[in-house]
């Protein structure tokens, strides 16, 4: 029986150290492509991966000795979990490890938007000292719609408590999540009352293009919009329309529908150029859950869940 583990991503050194101590043979290649993985996964007992590569039926059929898959992070949409499970392959993720990192990034993005931090700094670099135009809006006492109340959504809500907000939490899989400032809410209540909306949804057939034209047009207030989950959850064209039509006051996104700029079509180039040139938009490169601390926590959680 093989004791070989393949790691298709960068990871904290602690993970490799622990696996080596336990006698595993490690093959790590963060730039491995699909064709290379088809070859390398043969005779591997374990696979540790992120979102960089798709683990589909074909890959799994080439994994003759695979016993488990460890996902560093949250979201299992790149792994055919059902097929893996049918083959007796255990699948574990580690969303508990980076949820605080995502929550802190969300809070940073929100404070940046509401206080015009990036916008005013860009103006100063061009010699413009605009105080009145950059007057901030406090989030204290505001109503924050949190759509998806799993690890990251609930962590974001915890960070908001000192601001005395009302957090409207919407999650089809959660019950009894209300407390003194969190209210379990319908999407209609969020449409009607939210000043800020933050998405924390997994990518599924149901959530794909969740934030579309109908979604944005349903809000009664001009909202601040945050997305740190998956780019495909938001229809980029609908986001642009909402910004243009003043349904969104400002937007901060850590993810895009297509994060590979070198593959962009002309339409995609026009979309990203609009967003990059909009003073009310902030884009970060999918780093919300990418903190140094999260890297170590995810490693520890995967080891614990897989009992390695």
């Amino acid at each position: 029986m093989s004791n070989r583990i393949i790691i298709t991503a960068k990871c904290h050194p602690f993970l490799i150290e622990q696996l080596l101590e336990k006698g595993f043979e490690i093959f790590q290649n963060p730039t491995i492509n699909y064709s290379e993985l088809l070859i390398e996964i043969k005779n591997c007992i374990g696979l540790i991966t992120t979102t960089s590569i798709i683990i589909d039926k074909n890959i799994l059929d080439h994994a003759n000795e695979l016993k488990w898959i460890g996902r560093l992070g949250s979201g299992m949409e790149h792994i055919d979990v059902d097929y893996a499970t049918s083959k007796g392959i255990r699948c574990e993720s580690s969303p508990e490890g980076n949820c605080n990192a995502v929550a802190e990034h969300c809070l940073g993005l929100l404070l940046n938007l509401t206080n015009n931090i990036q916008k005013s700094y860009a103006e100063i670099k061009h010699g413009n000292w605009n105080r009145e135009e950059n007057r901030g809006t406090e989030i204290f006492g505001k109503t924050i719609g949190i759509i998806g109340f799993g690890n990251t959504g609930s962590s974001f809500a915890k960070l908001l408590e000192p601001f005395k907000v009302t957090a409207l939490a919407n999650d089809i899989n959660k019950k009894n999540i209300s407390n003194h400032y969190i209210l379990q809410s319908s999407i209609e209540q969020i449409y009607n009352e939210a000043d800020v909306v933050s998405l924390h949804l997994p990518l599924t057939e149901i959530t794909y293009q969740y934030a579309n034209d109908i979604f944005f047009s349903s809000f009664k207030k001009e909202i601040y919009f945050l997305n740190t989950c998956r780019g495909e959850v938001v229809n980029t064209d609908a986001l642009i329309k909402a910004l243009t039509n003043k349904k969104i006051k400002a937007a901060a996104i850590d993810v895009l529908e297509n994060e590979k700029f070198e593959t962009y079509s002309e339409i995609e180039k026009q979309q990203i150029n609009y967003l990059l040139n909009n003073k009310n938009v902030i884009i970060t490169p999918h780093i919300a859950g990418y903190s140094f601390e999260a890297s170590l926590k995810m490693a520890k959680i995967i080891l614990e869940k897989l009992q390695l």
Side-chain angles (χ1 to χ4, degrees):
M1 174 66 71
S2 169
N3 68 341
R4 188 169 185 256
I5 294 173
I6 186 167
I7 303 176
T8 69
K10 294 179 181 179
C11 64
H12 196 280
F14 177 82
L15 179 60
I16 295 176
E17 291 167 5
Q18 291 296 303
L19 292 172
L20 289 174
E21 280 187 17
K22 297 175 188 299
F24 291 104
E25 175 189 348
I26 306 299
F27 173 77
Q28 183 181 25
N29 183 357
T31 63
I32 194 169
N33 62 36
Y34 184 90
S35 298
E36 292 168 338
L37 183 59
L38 279 176
I39 298 170
E40 294 294 343
I41 202 161
K42 294 177 181 178
N43 304 317
C44 282
I45 191 173
L47 167 65
I48 294 176
T49 188
T50 57
T51 58
S52 60
I53 199 161
I54 294 174
I55 311 302
D56 60 10
K57 182 177 183 294
N58 189 34
I59 291 282
L60 294 169
D61 282 339
H62 281 74
N64 302 320
E65 297 185 24
L66 195 65
K67 299 299 181 185
W68 52 263
I69 299 172
R71 159 76 165 99
L72 293 174
S74 60
M76 301 288 273
E77 70 272 11
H78 286 77
I79 303 170
D80 192 335
V81 175
D82 290 340
Y83 188 66
T85 303
S86 75
K87 293 174 67 70
I89 300 170
R90 184 177 179 184
C91 299
E92 297 286 356
S93 63
S94 51
E96 306 89 345
N98 67 353
C99 59
N100 186 68
V102 174
E104 288 192 10
H105 194 84
C106 257
L107 181 57
L109 291 175
L110 179 56
L111 291 171
N112 194 325
L113 288 182
T114 56
N115 291 282
N116 295 311
I117 293 171
Q118 176 180 275
K119 174 179 175 290
S120 59
Y121 176 53
E123 291 170 358
I124 289 171
K125 286 196 292 184
H126 288 91
N128 300 313
W129 190 266
N130 299 324
R131 293 188 68 211
E132 184 61 35
E133 295 87 342
N134 288 301
R135 190 186 292 269
T137 298
E138 296 180 17
I139 63 173
F140 191 93
K142 296 296 190 295
T143 299
I144 316 290
I146 302 176
I147 302 176
F149 209 71
N151 289 286
T152 62
S154 58
S155 294
F156 181 45
K158 289 176 184 176
L159 294 187
L160 291 169
E161 182 177 6
F163 294 93
K164 305 298 182 183
V165 304
T166 298
L168 303 180
N170 176 263
D171 194 307
I172 60 173
N173 297 314
K174 299 277 185 176
K175 294 182 179 180
N176 303 318
I177 54 180
S178 298
N179 62 18
H180 62 286
Y181 73 102
I182 299 171
L183 299 177
Q184 186 157 0
S185 306
S186 66
I187 190 63
E188 288 75 22
Q189 185 176 2
I190 292 176
Y191 286 152
N192 291 332
E193 300 177 19
D195 301 294
V196 177
V197 175
S198 187
L199 300 185
H200 299 270
L201 296 165
L203 179 59
T204 67
E205 291 182 359
I206 295 174
T207 64
Y208 177 74
Q209 304 281 280
Y210 178 89
N212 53 25
D213 287 328
I214 295 174
F215 174 84
F216 288 119
S217 65
S218 299
F219 288 99
K220 303 304 182 196
K221 299 179 182 179
E222 189 178 4
I223 61 168
Y224 291 96
F225 177 72
L226 309 175
N227 183 25
T228 54
C229 57
R230 289 291 182 268
E232 297 94 329
V233 168
V234 177
N235 180 286
T236 306
D237 187 59
L239 173 64
I240 290 171
K241 287 179 184 176
L243 285 160
T244 304
N245 297 331
K246 307 298 183 183
K247 298 300 292 185
I248 296 176
K249 183 176 296 185
I253 53 179
D254 183 56
V255 286
L256 296 169
E257 280 193 88
N258 183 356
E259 296 176 1
K260 297 179 180 179
F261 288 164
E262 68 277 7
T263 69
Y264 269 28
S265 66
E266 284 304 313
I267 291 176
E268 288 173 316
K269 290 177 182 177
Q270 291 171 15
Q271 290 175 336
I272 195 66
N273 285 335
Y274 173 87
L275 295 173
L276 291 173
N277 290 305
N278 191 310
K279 62 184 179 180
N280 296 320
V281 174
I282 298 170
I283 303 175
T284 52
H286 205 151
I287 55 172
Y290 208 55
S291 72
F292 292 105
E293 293 82 357
S295 178
L296 176 57
K297 285 188 281 187
M298 289 186 294
K300 290 181 176 179
I301 288 167
I302 279 296
L303 290 169
E304 180 181 346
K305 285 187 174 182
L306 292 171
Q307 300 176 318
L308 298 175

